[in-house]
Amino acid sequence: MTAPAHQPVLIVDFGSQVTQLIARRVREAGVYCEIHPFDKVEALVDAFQPAAIILSGGPASVLEADSPRIGAKLFELGVPMLCVCYGEQLLCDVLGGTVEGGHAGEFGRADLTIARDHALFQGLAGVGELETVWMSHGDRVTAIPEGFEIIGTSTGAPFAAIADDARRIYGVQFHPEVVHTVNGAKIYRNFLYNLAGLKGDWTMAAFRQEMIAKIRAQVGKGRVICGLSGGVDSSVAAVLIHEAIGDQLTCVYVDTGLMRLGESEQVVSLFRNHYNIPLVHVDASDLFLDALDGVSDPEAKRKTIGRLFIEVFDREAGKVEDAQFLAQGTLYPDVVESVSARGGPSAVIKSHHNVGGLPDFMKLKLVEPLRELFKDEVRALGVELGLHPDFVGRHPFPGPGLAIRIPGEITREKVAVLQQADAIYLDEIRKAGLYDKIWQAFAVLLPVKTVGVMGDARTYENVLALRAVTSTDGMTADFFEFPWDVLGKTATRIINEVRGVNRVVYDVTSKPPGTIEWE
């Protein structure tokens, strides 16, 4: 590993489900950062040359024999460190403090009392006043290492915030990264700027120029094939690579027959006519739909689609003379999920991506220019590249397409019904001026039929679920509180205009960190 060009922050992951939110807060502050598993950091720290280090929380206890740990080396680097929750307990355990179990835990909202004036809490409550924070710990720090002092307390954590200004090491028992810690973003900014002295040079303009140079250096005179899905990620990747190497890039768009209504026509028109990027359009809808006939298991559907996509793509790539590279719109959450610090479900979640590499028979090297970015950063890069805001702001669409929005068996009839209903849903959202307020909205054709009355006749048709969620980066999501008149108008249009649906329901499920897909 070579050191990043920016002042990089190293985030050490101990398996917390909100580790990526730490990275979001750091990036939002204009500072570059990377997440790495706890058992890899000592090997990479010299090459990475971190300007600051953040230890994440985690579900384990430092009192367990097999708990995830780091040695004293990182604490002796002289690099500013912020240790969060499990990270604070580990800091105390490694440097000579005491952590005990058996005390009452502290979970959820809590009041942090500011114990003394400190740069970490600049712009927050005054000394003796309260800050609302989010706690999630069972063990308790009962003694802190020599050189540390208390700068914040809570009812369940007498050492809720500690500092050793001489060594520039700081610990907080709460989670500043979650929105429930009201001034959490300020705490991260205070650490990064007031305590670590970083300059904050992470911008999309800088990223664009640096990545163009990296692409040219990696590719040289070679040819690049880009798997274009029509979504924001692959489209931004394609435009960025085309800016770097021009007609050395060829895009391949595989129409699986599982796209949104009219999507294929839009993609072909946009890239061929507007961006003038060489594009191969492959209509493989019959191949995919035939292969999915009778397949109902969701994971089997994903793997079937992934396998066929690679086969079709490989065949088309073989027709491009001297193709040496494959471009993908892999994002940073994909990468982190695939190298989860605690094992996790990443092997299942990513079964329809190539984050872990390509099949051996594909003799192509990967070009992944968005690999360092979160979803909202990709959108910002798209704007920087001049893509139309309406396109950059499109709701995310899953790699397997509508297949995962049709639980159970897939038929051409079901796909047609879902395409029509989904198009009506998005049309009504746009008409109501709500599209940009929603992170993702889509329809799901449920494997359920109900009896209804339409006019003077009984019907026995499908139930359709509508889902809309709010999010910033796709890591967490909450349901969108739809105005009832918009939902009512949407449901009426779907039932009247889409043959095969006689009932529409709205999904109000929230999602914790992880995938926000319905299935």
Side-chain angles (χ1 to χ4, degrees), residues 170-473:
Y170 311 91
V172 293
Q173 188 61 80
F174 57 91
H175 288 272
E177 61 272 14
V178 303
V179 295
H180 306 89
T181 297
V182 175
N183 285 307
K186 284 185 180 179
I187 292 172
Y188 276 111
R189 289 187 66 89
N190 287 340
F191 169 69
L192 296 167
Y193 290 101
N194 298 345
L195 299 174
L198 305 186
K199 57 187 178 182
D201 57 0
W202 174 251
T203 67
M204 279 302 107
F207 177 86
R208 174 186 181 181
Q209 296 307 316
E210 291 167 10
M211 190 52 61
I212 285 174
K214 287 181 181 179
I215 293 168
R216 288 172 178 166
Q218 179 185 4
V219 171
K221 299 294 185 181
R223 296 192 61 82
V224 179
I225 306 294
C226 178
L228 190 64
S229 69
V232 175
D233 304 337
S234 64
S235 298
V236 170
V239 173
L240 178 65
I241 293 170
H242 188 255
E243 183 170 306
I245 62 173
D247 288 348
Q248 288 173 246
L249 171 70
T250 298
C251 290
V252 176
Y253 174 69
V254 179
D255 184 351
T256 65
L258 299 164
M259 316 306 291
R260 287 174 287 206
L261 190 66
E263 181 138 35
S264 294
E265 294 79 3
Q266 294 171 6
V267 170
V268 172
S269 175
L270 182 69
F271 280 84
R272 281 184 180 165
N273 302 332
H274 184 74
Y275 293 116
N276 198 31
I277 296 176
L279 173 67
V280 176
H281 175 206
V282 185
D283 184 355
S285 54
D286 286 339
L287 175 67
F288 280 82
L289 293 172
D290 287 345
L292 291 168
D293 186 30
V295 180
S296 58
D297 178 74
E299 196 58 26
K301 285 191 284 189
R302 291 176 184 269
K303 290 180 178 178
T304 298
I305 293 168
R307 173 179 57 79
L308 289 176
F309 184 89
I310 290 174
E311 290 176 2
V312 173
F313 190 89
D314 183 57
R315 183 185 68 217
E316 295 302 322
K319 298 177 183 178
V320 178
E321 188 176 354
D322 297 328
Q324 302 171 31
F325 299 90
L326 169 66
Q328 292 189 153
T330 305
L331 304 190
Y332 196 51
D334 301 332
V335 177
V336 175
E337 285 178 12
S338 296
V339 290
S340 167
R342 299 287 285 177
S346 58
V348 174
I349 292 173
K350 290 297 154 195
S351 62
H352 59 286
H353 288 280
N354 294 324
V355 178
L358 297 173
D360 291 338
F361 65 81
M362 293 188 73
K363 307 301 183 184
L364 299 173
K365 303 170 191 173
L366 282 176
V367 178
E368 297 174 307
L370 310 183
R371 192 178 175 89
E372 299 173 354
L373 302 184
F374 287 90
K375 188 76 173 188
D376 51 322
E377 293 173 322
V378 173
R379 297 189 194 281
L381 177 60
V383 173
E384 173 70 27
L385 288 166
L387 276 74
H388 194 281
D390 287 348
F391 182 80
V392 174
R394 291 178 73 185
H395 292 178
F397 190 62
L402 298 180
I404 61 172
R405 295 176 183 172
I406 305 176
E409 295 185 9
I410 296 174
T411 65
R412 287 169 171 78
E413 293 75 17
K414 288 181 179 180
V415 171
V417 167
L418 186 55
Q419 284 177 329
Q420 295 173 55
D422 193 67
I424 292 171
Y425 184 29
L426 295 180
D427 182 52
E428 289 299 327
I429 288 172
R430 288 190 175 95
K431 286 179 178 176
L434 301 175
Y435 190 86
D436 292 335
K437 297 179 181 180
I438 298 171
W439 165 265
Q440 185 183 45
F442 55 87
V444 177
L445 190 63
L446 301 181
V448 176
K449 287 193 173 185
T450 62
V451 175
V453 176
M454 299 178 70
D456 296 323
R458 288 189 182 277
T459 61
Y460 183 61
E461 301 290 1
N462 297 290
V463 178
L464 189 88
L466 302 180
R467 178 148 170 77
V469 296
T470 57
S471 182
T472 299
D473 46 34

Side-chain angles (χ1 to χ4, degrees), residues 14 16 18 22 55-60 62 82-92 99 106-107 134-139 141 160 170-177 188:
F14 292 100
S16 170
V18 291
I22 299 176
L55 305 188
S56 84
V62 297
L82 178 63
C83 308
V84 176
C85 196
Y86 178 86
E88 185 196 17
Q89 295 177 1
L90 183 63
L91 140 71
C92 291
V99 180
E106 200 172 18
F107 299 92
W134 187 262
M135 293 283 191
S136 182
H137 65 96
D139 295 339
V141 174
Y170 311 91
V172 293
Q173 188 61 80
F174 57 91
H175 288 272
E177 61 272 14
Y188 276 111

Side-chain angles (χ1 to χ4, degrees), residues 93-112:
D93 189 64
V94 171
L95 296 185
T98 305
V99 180
E100 295 179 357
H103 296 274
E106 200 172 18
F107 299 92
R109 285 184 176 86
D111 290 326
L112 175 76

